[in-house]
């Protein structure tokens, strides 16, 4: 039952309990319940104080985000909180579990706040494309000062009860029963003046250089936000708090919220929030998020200690898994022995731990993995080498050991074939740096058992990853979609664009790095190795611009042949201050290289508009997403969008590629793909997906409806 209940304890303390599981969000029924309870409190002369708490040890997770999709009805939050604050009887918030967003704003309207030591507090509205518009942007700076409020409101970060106490957000923290303590506290403050406890009546203490503090904050959110509107609006609301009387500040808060509330960005960010939860309810290959048998992993091995392997070792150890780290090359092993403990210590420090929970041992031979429960292979993308390792693992490991590969796109089934028990083989595709990046693609091979898949999914979650189950095909989901995107970027260079121009267009869209800067960072040889494996490169001869009957750009292969591998060689699509340099500068050599290339192939360069760059790169990528959905390689558009937001730098405020296509309009995306395919008939990736066509024919249903639509049309699903 969703509501807020009213009861009176020992005849004098009114208790208002929010009841809306699982997080006691402030739905219409809850707001109605609070409003009614306030009226009853006012009318009851026996009641001398009030305590507000949440059912089941959770104070409140904020406004009910699901209600944002429809018309607003019921008592609004602002007057409701104002009525609480205006009461002449002391009101105490008993904060257990969490007080987030509107939940904390409600607590800020109370006269006192008592928190349990394990509670988390915060104003995360900015992460949903909004601002704390129930007075939070005006009350918080009046309580803790402008700089601290700027930090909390523009980042949306959650803080512990002890940090909240230090900042002055809560009055007391307890390890015992916070509700009991709040009730005692409420009784003890009856009769004390409430004026100073009403935050709306306090002045906002701002530093003397208030303008420069606000300007600096604005510059920072611009730089961090990559085009996100909400952080900028948050600074605007805090500027109002610092410079205007409370009532005018509230008016500004309302205006800014109205703009954000109806923006595409707020819709995208709220979609991103729910997508992550949809993806968390995985059910691939007969496995299920809520009732699968899984193996508990206490000891694991990582094979190959390059950059990826080292990161995986650290991520496992931080999750409390003991790791056998194996590397056959002496030099690489020595480097890992030195680097891994340092990385681990830093990772533990970031989590506030003195010592990392997992123990790591190093080895140069596979025989040392015989006791582990799960192995993650992380050697080069070389199928023959990986198969040799898997075949050896199958003999060395105990029966039942789950065998995983960190391949970024090779066939999991071929690896499984090299073992005696293919059901135990799954892909665990991490993203670099593996101990930092949140995404994990768990690749379900056609023969992977539900138990092996569920074990990898659960282990990923334990490692703090957002695990997404995907099917087995070249590149899986993320890299399969990246291929047409990068292909278009290379074609654009052939046609007249420069790497900077393409990168600036993509960075303007909101990616942290354009495609060429990103290639330089990850190393051009990564893709080169994959193309060689696929038989696409033509080293030594004058390369053609067609391969296997399709347009192909040999530009990146030629860069690699010339030793320009990116940052690691100090030269790539940009030049750097030497190997390992980080600052990209435009390189006249590249300009000359492109001009010579175009001349040799008879290509006449043309001016290419930013719009074309974005449409060709992004729609080619999205089109592949539709093909992936059609093939059953991803369970739904949310899975693809989560992968792109967490693994590929897709700006979260644009929801993800599939959501973005819906926002642009599926009919428009289709029309543009048709247009570009007409001009480039030799590029199959521009051929509109039949699923896209069917969705358009069905009237372009919203992205949340695609799943049911797709499942009807799917020939077969890998998941
Ligand atoms: C014209 C202008 C009009 C303006 C009118 C607007 C007025 C608004 C005024 C004030 C602004 C206030 C805004 C807000 O408060 S926005 C909400 C802020 N709160 C949050 O961002 C918290 C979001 N939730 C979380 O971060 C987490 O869920 C958690 C930390 C609370 C709990 O995490 P965990 O235990 O891991 O559980 P899940 O994440 O899996 O969640 C469980 C379940 O609960 C659903 N849920 C969580 N929070 C909310 C919520 N605030 N509203 C609705 N539903 C919520 C979540 O979706 C899960 O459900 P499932 O999807 O069905 O599994």
């Amino acid at each position: 039952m969703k509501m807020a209940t009213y009861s009176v304890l020992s005849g004098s303390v009114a208790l208002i309990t929010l009841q809306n599981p699982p997080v006691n969000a402030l739905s219409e029924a809850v707001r109605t319940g609070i409003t009614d309870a306030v009226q009853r409190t006012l009318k009851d002369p026996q009641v001398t104080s009030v305590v507000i708490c949440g059912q089941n040890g959770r104070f409140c997770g904020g406004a009910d985000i699901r209600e944002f999709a429809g018309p607003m009805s019921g008592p609004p939050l602002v007057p409701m909180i104002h009525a609480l604050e205006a009461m002449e009887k002391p009101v105490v918030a008993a904060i257990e579990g969490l007080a987030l967003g509107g939940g904390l704003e409600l607590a800020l309207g109370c006269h006192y706040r008592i928190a349990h030591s394990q509670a988390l507090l915060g104003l995360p509205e900015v992460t949903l494309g909004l601002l704390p518009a129930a007075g939070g942007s005006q009350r918080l700076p009046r309580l803790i000062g402008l700089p601290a409020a700027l930090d909390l409101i523009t980042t949306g970060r959650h803080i512990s009860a002890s940090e909240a106490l230090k900042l002055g957000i809560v009055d007391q923290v307890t390890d015992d029963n916070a509700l009991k303590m709040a009730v005692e506290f409420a009784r003890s403050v009856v009769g004390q003046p409430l004026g100073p406890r009403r935050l709306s009546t306090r002045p906002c203490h701002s530093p003397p250089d208030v303008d420069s503090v606000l300007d600096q904050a604005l510059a920072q959110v611009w730089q961090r936000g990559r085009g996100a509107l909400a952080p900028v609006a948050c600074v605007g609301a805090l500027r109002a708090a610092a410079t205007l009387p409370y009532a005018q500040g509230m008016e500004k808060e309302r205006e800014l919220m109205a703009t954000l509330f109806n923006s595409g960005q707020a819709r995208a960010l709220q979609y991103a929030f729910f997508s992550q939860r949809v993806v968390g309810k995985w059910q691939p290959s007969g496995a299920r998020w809520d009732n699968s048998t899984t193996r508990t992993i206490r000891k694991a091995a990582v094979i190959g200690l390059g950059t990826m392997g080292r990161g995986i070792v650290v991520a496992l150890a931080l999750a409390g898994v003991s790791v056998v780290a194996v590397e056959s090359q002496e030099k690489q092993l020595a480097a890992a022995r030195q680097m891994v403990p340092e990385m681990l210590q830093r990772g533990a420090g970031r989590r506030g731990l003195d010592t990392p929970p997992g123990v790591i041992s190093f080895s140069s031979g596979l025989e040392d993995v015989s006791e582990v429960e799960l192995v993650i292979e992380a050697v080069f993308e070389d199928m023959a080498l990986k198969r040799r390792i898997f075949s050896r693992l199958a003999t060395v490991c105990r029966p039942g050991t789950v065998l995983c590969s960190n391949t970024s796109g090779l066939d999991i089934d071929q690896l499984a074939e090299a073992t005696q028990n293919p059901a135990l083989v799954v892909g665990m595709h991490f993203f670099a740096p593996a101990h930092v990046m949140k995404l994990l693609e768990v690749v379900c091979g056609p023969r992977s058992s539900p138990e092996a898949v569920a074990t990898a999914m659960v282990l990923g979650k334990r490692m703090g990853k957002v695990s997404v189950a995907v099917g087995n095909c070249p590149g899986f989901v993320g890299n399969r979609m990246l291929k047409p995107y990068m292909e278009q970027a290379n074609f654009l260079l052939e046609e007249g664009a420069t790497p900077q121009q393409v990168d600036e267009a993509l960075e303007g869209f909101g990616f942290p790095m354009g495609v060429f800067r990103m290639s330089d960072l990850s190393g051009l040889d990564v893709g080169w190795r994959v193309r060689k494996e696929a038989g696409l490169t033509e080293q030594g001869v004058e390369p053609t611009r067609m391969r296997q009957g399709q347009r192909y750009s040999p530009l990146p292969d030629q860069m690699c042949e010339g030793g320009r591998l990116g940052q690691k060689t100090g030269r790539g699509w940009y030049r750097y201050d030497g190997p390992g340099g980080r600052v990209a500068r435009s390189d006249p050599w590249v300009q000359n290289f492109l001009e010579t290339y175009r001349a040799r192939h008879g290509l006449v360069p043309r001016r290419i508009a930013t719009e074309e760059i974005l449409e060709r790169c992004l729609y080619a990528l999205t089109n592949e997403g539709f093909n992936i959905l059609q093939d059953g390689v991803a369970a739904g558009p949310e899975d693809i969008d989560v992968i792109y937001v967490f693994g590929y730098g897709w700006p979260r405020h644009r929801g993800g590629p599939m959501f973005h296509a819906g926002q642009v309009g599926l009919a428009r995306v289709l029309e543009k793909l048709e247009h570009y395919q007409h001009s480039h008939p030799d590029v199959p990736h521009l051929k509109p997906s039949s699923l896209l066509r069917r969705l358009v024919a069905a009237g372009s249903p919203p992205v949340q409806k695609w799943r049911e639509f797709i499942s009807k049309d799917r020939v077969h699903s890998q998941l």
Side-chain angles (χ1 to χ4, degrees), residues 123 140 144 148-157 159 167 169:
L123 292 174
L140 189 67
I144 64 173
L150 272 167
D151 167 40
L152 290 191
I153 291 177
T154 60
T155 62
R157 71 186 177 90
I159 57 169
L167 286 170
I169 295 177

Side-chain angles (χ1 to χ4, degrees), residues 22-23 58 61 63-66 102 124-125 128 273-274 277 281:
V23 301
R58 289 183 139 184
D64 190 333
I65 309 165
R66 288 186 203 278
E125 285 90 339
L128 298 168
F273 173 83
F274 286 116
R277 272 120 198 115
K281 296 191 172 135

Side-chain angles (χ1 to χ4, degrees), residues 301-313 324-328 332 336 363 366 376-380 389:
V302 176
I303 316 295
L305 300 180
T307 311
M308 287 306 294
R310 293 194 295 265
I312 298 170
V313 170
V324 183
V326 182
E327 171 58 62
S328 59
Q332 187 106 292
S363 165
L366 281 186
I376 303 176
E377 162 279 307
V379 302
F380 282 134
I389 291 173

Side-chain angles (χ1 to χ4, degrees), residues 62 69 373 401 431 438:
E373 290 131 349
T401 304
F431 290 74
K438 293 281 281 179

Side-chain angles (χ1 to χ4, degrees), residues 244-309:
L244 298 173
Y246 176 77
Q248 279 172 263
M250 284 300 286
E251 186 49 32
K252 188 73 189 169
E253 182 191 89
R254 199 195 58 76
E255 266 171 39
L256 289 166
M257 179 66 158
T259 315
L260 291 179
F261 196 76
N262 295 312
S263 71
Q265 291 198 1
R267 276 192 289 278
L269 285 160
Q270 287 154 34
Y271 163 83
F273 173 83
F274 286 116
S275 294
Q276 205 179 323
R277 272 120 198 115
V278 168
V279 166
K281 296 191 172 135
W282 42 271
Q283 38 185 320
S285 313
R288 253 187 82 97
W289 63 283
D290 53 352
N291 69 357
S292 283
T293 315
T294 58
R295 299 202 59 189
T296 306
I297 306 301
R298 290 176 209 89
K299 194 164 183 188
V302 176
I303 316 295
L305 300 180
T307 311
M308 287 306 294

Side-chain angles (χ1 to χ4, degrees), residues 342-481:
E342 290 166 10
M343 289 160 69
L344 193 58
Q345 209 52 54
R346 277 198 300 274
R350 273 197 296 272
R351 287 167 173 74
L353 305 168
D354 293 335
T355 46
V359 177
I360 300 172
S361 61
F362 291 90
S363 165
S364 59
L366 281 186
E367 55 286 350
D368 287 335
V369 310
S370 60
E371 294 302 310
V372 305
E373 290 131 349
L374 179 139
V375 180
I376 303 176
E377 162 279 307
V379 302
F380 282 134
E381 288 295 86
D382 176 337
M383 180 53 94
L385 171 64
K386 285 182 191 276
R387 277 176 63 94
R388 277 200 301 280
I389 291 173
F390 269 72
S391 154
R392 180 83 202 289
L393 286 172
T395 59
V396 171
C397 295
R398 291 190 300 202
T401 304
V402 180
L403 302 181
C404 308
S405 173
N406 176 49
T407 175
S408 59
L410 296 179
D411 184 357
I412 292 296
D413 203 29
Q414 277 194 48
L415 295 177
E417 271 172 13
T419 71
Q420 286 129 359
N421 194 349
L424 291 171
V425 177
V426 285
M428 283 183 91
H429 177 207
F430 291 85
F431 290 74
H435 58 304
V436 176
M437 290 288 283
K438 293 281 281 179
L439 180 66
L440 174 69
E441 280 185 323
V442 171
V443 189
C444 312
R447 290 183 273 181
S448 309
S449 71
E451 188 179 344
V453 168
T455 299
M457 292 295 288
V458 170
L459 179 62
K461 187 167 181 190
R462 207 171 130 199
M463 292 161 90
K465 306 292 175 200
V466 177
S467 310
V468 186
V470 299
N472 182 37
C473 68
F476 315 131
V477 170
N479 285 346
R480 175 167 159 185
M481 289 169 70

